[in-house]
Amino acid sequence: MSVASERSEAVEETTPASVDVVVVGAGFSGLYAIHRMRKAGFDVLCFEAGDGVGGTWYWNRYPGARVDIESVQYSYAFDEDLQQDWKWPELFSPQGDLEDYINHVADRFDLRRSIRFNARVDSVVFDEEERRWQVGTEAGHRVRAKYVIAATGPLDATNVPSFPGIDTFEGELHHTSQWPREGVDLRGKRVGVIGTGSTGVQVVPEVAKVAGHLHVFQRTPAYTVPAHNRALDPDYEREWKENYAQRREMMRHHPNALVLPMTQHGSVFDHTPEERLAILEEAWRSRSGLLFFFLFNDVLTDIRANEVVAEWFRGKIREIVKDPEVAELLCPTTYPLGSKRLSIDSGYYDTFNRDNVTLVDVRRDPIVELTPKGIRTEEAEYDLDVLILATGFDAMTGSLLRLNVVGAGGVPLREKWSGTPWNYLGLMVSGFPNMFLVHGPGSPSVLAQMVTQSEYQIDWIADLLSHMEQEGLETVDTTTEAERTWCAEVTELANGTLFPLADSWQKGANIEGKPQSYMIWVGGFDAFADRCDQVAAAGYDGFVLKP
Ligand code: N01
């Protein structure tokens, strides 16, 4: 007997041949999907590529990894006892605390028995005759399911740029999203970091603290604001817990699924330069991340307003970074503030004042190749013991395409999405009946708080499935007309903002050869959820349900 068939027999012993729902991925969305589908009376089985739960917070365990939304908000609302019982040590949780929380949730709701770990899904094929999905994993599982929920996360498929010579590098090479569980010993070593997006700005200050020398290879500088992270104030926690129900309701009706207790100051141009300065300085001292944008209502829509704030921002960098040349290199100038995700950091700019840190501008002096010893640019060579790739993800579509989904009529999702990633409400793709996306292209995705969105989308899917079972329906699909109209709306809304002006992962610009279109619904989570509610109330308008 071959090793492969032994393996698939072992797997069959513990895995049913068919279930109602297969969930792909055991991150925040996938875990809630298991719980919610069970509650709705479905048999559910989840496949997870890792050996633990947590998704993003399982994989991205690099030093400095931390959420940029307050943890009292970035957490599940579905169980009142859970949100009352759980104690978040810090305002913005580090990866380890998020992993503890998600493991607690998995145990508390007995979710693990429905999960198969170390089981990367590598085929999802629709059998038209049976009207069932056949789901397969690299580990050899084969399961039929009436419904599939792809809870694969928008930022999961790692992007490793194809640097010539990458396989010849003799030091340690790590991508931040595949950081070893046992950690990496960086003490006293010559370390390089490629990438200065949200991940880069988090990992760089931590690495600098321990490395012998750190070279940061920057192609595009980031805008990042101080996180102001701190221990969670017990009074703040108590106040949140006393008002959770009302706060969660506010989040449902907020464009970013957040509670933002702050003053909005109208247009950038409603103020004198002195007033503006006072508002921005106060914010820099006390606020972080997304909150920063809501100070004025035109920063993300008016390039002139954006430039006023961006220039003030560059002033902050020049203030912090002592070497004027390094400060200039760190100043973003090629894209509007906020059109790439604003990062939060703990001492990022200040790190470049350290003697053991060197910024390398690989826009001016591009990387030519990796060598056995390190990195060779056009003008120099850098010897490294460890190279860290903080080079991001094949976002939005990558994690879905690698499932090798084949829909009705034998059409691969890869073919369907060879140009635009067609979808309706970010939830379904026509020709792929009974398959649902969570945080898919066309949804608000990272522009709103993800946990609340996960719960909303999964509740919406669960209600639809319950409706189908009650009515004796077998399949639901969307139409090409509905997805064309939706995608046109996604594009039109985005074009009314500055988001598409950046060459970011949000429009696929970070991956060579990837078709580009702005993939995120910028109309706000509140409007998105209202629309999904209306669609359901109108008998699932834009969907075709069949007996
Ligand atoms: O990835 P990115 P990320 N040569 O794609 C550079 C979320 N997140 O992992 O901009 C040289 O943003 C690339 O350069 P350029 C958040 O939504 C959240 O940092 O393409 N450089 C860029 O600097 C975020 O937006 C949190 O010119 C190369 C970097 O690598 C999303 O994840 C924390 C290169 C990639 O930046 C992704 O962030 C972390 C090459 N060949 C992440 N290829 C929080 O919650 C790429 N780069 C706080």
Side-chain angles (χ1 to χ4, degrees), residues 62 66-68 155 161 163 194-199 202 219-220 340-341 363 390-393 446 505:
Y62 57 86
R66 185 181 294 286
V67 69
D68 61 357
L155 294 157
F163 296 113
I194 301 179
T196 52
S198 303
T199 302
Q202 290 192 326
R219 192 165 64 181
T220 309
K340 291 187 179 195
R341 175 74 175 233
R363 174 80 60 193
T391 46
F393 304 89
V446 297
W505 59 259

Side-chain angles (χ1 to χ4, degrees), residues 350-392:
D350 200 31
T351 299
F352 294 92
N353 292 324
R354 296 177 66 109
D355 291 338
N356 71 333
V357 176
T358 306
L359 183 64
V360 182
D361 177 7
V362 294
R363 174 80 60 193
R364 192 192 58 77
D365 178 21
I367 295 172
V368 175
E369 62 173 353
L370 266 59
T371 66
K373 288 176 143 191
I375 289 181
R376 190 167 74 78
T377 63
E378 281 181 4
E379 294 177 5
E381 287 195 32
Y382 302 89
D383 289 354
L384 303 169
D385 302 310
V386 183
L387 176 58
I388 300 172
L389 300 177
T391 46

Side-chain angles (χ1 to χ4, degrees), residues 381-418:
E381 287 195 32
Y382 302 89
D383 289 354
L384 303 169
D385 302 310
V386 183
L387 176 58
I388 300 172
L389 300 177
T391 46
F393 304 89
D394 179 357
M396 305 300 292
T397 55
S399 56
L400 293 159
L401 291 176
R402 70 178 173 178
L403 302 179
N404 297 314
V405 183
V406 179
V411 176
L413 185 61
R414 197 171 282 283
E415 188 180 308
K416 169 98 188 189
W417 280 1
S418 59

Side-chain angles (χ1 to χ4, degrees), residues 322-333:
K322 294 191 182 115
D323 180 330
E325 269 181 45
V326 176
E328 267 340 285
L329 279 182
L330 287 166
C331 286
T333 53

Side-chain angles (χ1 to χ4, degrees), residues 236-308:
Y236 187 68
E237 181 186 1
R238 191 174 326 110
E239 204 258 328
W240 258 88
K241 287 185 172 175
E242 282 166 11
N243 295 289
Y244 246 135
Q246 179 214 1
R247 297 277 161 86
R248 295 295 191 189
E249 192 55 23
M250 286 166 77
M251 287 154 81
R252 158 64 183 82
H253 296 286
H254 188 274
N256 307 90
L258 293 172
V259 174
L260 294 177
M262 62 180 293
T263 314
Q264 217 266 355
H265 299 272
S267 163
V268 163
F269 301 112
D270 289 344
H271 304 274
T272 63
E274 293 74 24
E275 286 167 353
R276 212 155 46 215
L277 188 67
I279 293 166
L280 288 164
E281 290 289 337
E282 199 280 324
W284 183 271
R285 277 193 303 274
S286 61
R287 303 200 176 280
S288 63
L290 289 171
L291 293 153
F292 222 77
F293 289 121
F294 304 112
L295 294 171
F296 304 108
N297 61 17
D298 44 4
V299 173
L300 292 174
T301 50
D302 179 343
I303 191 73
R304 291 169 317 125
N306 189 284
E307 182 50 27
V308 170

Side-chain angles (χ1 to χ4, degrees), residues 461-533:
I461 295 166
D463 288 345
L464 169 54
L465 301 199
S466 296
H467 167 77
M468 288 176 66
E469 297 305 309
Q470 276 155 21
E471 301 295 317
L473 301 167
E474 274 295 306
T475 58
V476 54
D477 199 351
T478 184
T479 63
T480 47
E481 193 194 342
E483 63 188 4
R484 277 181 192 351
T485 308
W486 180 253
C487 289
E489 198 176 326
V490 169
T491 304
E492 194 186 317
L493 281 170
N495 287 343
T497 70
L498 306 179
F499 286 108
L501 299 186
D503 283 338
S504 74
W505 59 259
Q506 299 178 7
K507 64 174 190 190
N510 65 327
I511 303 293
E512 220 180 301
K514 183 165 174 171
Q516 291 189 28
S517 61
Y518 193 80
M519 292 179 274
I520 300 181
W521 160 271
V522 301
F525 167 69
D526 51 346
F528 172 83
D530 288 348
R531 180 73 75 85
C532 294
D533 285 354

